[in-house]
Amino acid sequence: MKRPYGPGADPTGWLRRYHRPPVEGPTLVVLPHAGGSATGYYTLSQALCGAAEVLTVQYPGRQDRLGERCVDDIGEMADRVVEALLPRAGRPLVLFGHSLGSIVAYEVALRLESLHPDRAPIGVIVSGRPAAAIHLSRGLSLLEDEDLAASISDLAGTPPELLADKDLMAAVLPSLRADFKAAESYRGAAGTRVSCPLYAYSGAQDHNVPREGLLRWSEHTSAEFTVRFFEGGHFYLQSQEPEVARALACDLHTLTRTALLAPTH
């Protein structure tokens, strides 16, 4: 198990910081995909720790939070992440979420802008999911365990050795099922938008994210909208991690510079 870097452990249990942050720079909050965990983004954190303080969200019901109740509602997830972030003031905030994490990131941004404008993010980067206003439900949360395991095998994001380990899968499937339920029950707020720039990332061969669905993220910001495509499918983050890290570092720099140059009122 990767150990968080101290000091300043998160008392809520929702955030992990694995690497020493730079003296200056933004905070990048990484929100994992369905079934994902904080440690799955450890190497991405390592690649970006010179550009930002990287905080990775650990949803309950997995790894060191295995004994906790899984959360199966996007709104509750977003509320808990906001609570964890509020005490961590001082750096500009950027949210990055993949798949399930993208809608959690978007909902966190909406809450911060409306309820805590002093902590509003300077940018949101969504990945691997069509726009929040598009309802997605493949009924995965209702599948029997074997069929649910097969469905994540189809996404090519889970190591075959884990899928073959029945004990490990028995521990993983409850949180995966809860995550899928959260994603499938989510009704994105059509007509809502953030006031900060929004960037959308996708694997060029991800059949789960049609291009037109990705482009509709433009409806969810009143500021700049940018799209980036990477070679690969739904889990292009793994196969193209060096390129993704370079893109994130570039976009973090741009977002921070834009925020600094923005007029104050």
Side-chain angles (χ1 to χ4, degrees):
M1 181 72 68
K2 306 291 192 305
R3 294 186 178 277
Y5 172 82
D10 168 43
T12 71
W14 280 77
L15 303 175
R16 303 288 181 273
R17 188 178 73 182
Y18 294 117
H19 300 95
R20 182 192 298 272
V23 175
E24 297 181 345
T27 291
L28 175 69
V29 180
V30 178
L31 296 114
H33 56 280
S37 62
T39 57
Y41 294 80
Y42 179 88
T43 55
L44 185 63
S45 168
Q46 187 174 43
L48 289 169
C49 65
E53 176 191 37
V54 183
L55 303 176
T56 308
V57 170
Q58 183 78 305
Y59 307 129
R62 66 212 73 200
Q63 292 190 333
D64 57 334
R65 303 189 71 188
L66 187 61
E68 299 181 46
R69 176 185 68 87
C70 297
V71 177
D72 59 8
D73 178 77
I74 296 296
E76 184 179 349
M77 287 182 175
D79 288 341
R80 300 291 83 77
V81 174
V82 167
E83 289 175 2
L85 288 175
L86 286 180
R88 309 186 74 99
R91 292 175 183 262
L93 185 67
V94 178
L95 303 168
F96 171 75
H98 179 62
S99 198
L100 168 89
S102 66
I103 50 177
V104 181
Y106 178 67
E107 290 294 328
V108 169
L110 289 176
R111 284 159 171 74
L112 290 173
E113 285 195 350
S114 63
L115 301 174
H116 308 281
D118 58 319
R119 293 295 289 131
I122 63 170
V124 177
I125 304 172
V126 296
S127 166
R129 192 196 188 278
I134 299 175
H135 177 234
L136 298 177
S137 180
R138 296 165 56 197
L140 296 177
S141 63
L142 303 176
L143 296 176
E144 297 294 333
D145 285 355
E146 289 187 3
D147 293 331
L148 183 60
S151 73
I152 61 175
S153 175
D154 291 343
L155 288 175
T158 306
E161 59 270 20
L162 189 153
L163 293 169
D165 190 317
K166 292 185 178 181
D167 291 335
L168 277 175
M169 288 305 296
V172 166
L173 285 177
S175 60
L176 183 68
R177 189 181 303 279
D179 288 351
F180 281 144
K181 181 180 178 181
E184 291 167 356
S185 62
Y186 176 69
R187 296 296 189 275
T192 63
R193 55 179 56 116
V194 294
S195 58
C196 63
L198 191 152
Y199 295 1
Y201 290 10
S202 180
Q205 291 79 41
D206 187 353
H207 60 82
N208 294 291
V209 187
R211 182 182 179 89
E212 59 273 18
L214 189 75
L215 293 177
R216 283 193 60 189
W217 275 109
S218 65
E219 302 170 10
H220 291 297
T221 179
S222 58
E224 176 191 358
F225 176 69
T226 301
V227 174
R228 288 187 183 271
F229 286 100
F230 302 84
E231 281 299 308
H234 191 62
F235 284 97
Y236 73 92
L237 290 175
Q238 297 174 359
S239 61
Q240 302 295 324
E241 187 175 271
E243 184 179 351
V244 172
R246 285 192 292 270
L248 280 168
C250 177
D251 289 340
L252 286 168
H253 176 74
T254 299
L255 289 167
T256 304
R257 183 180 58 189
T258 300
L260 288 173
L261 295 175
T264 57
H265 300 285

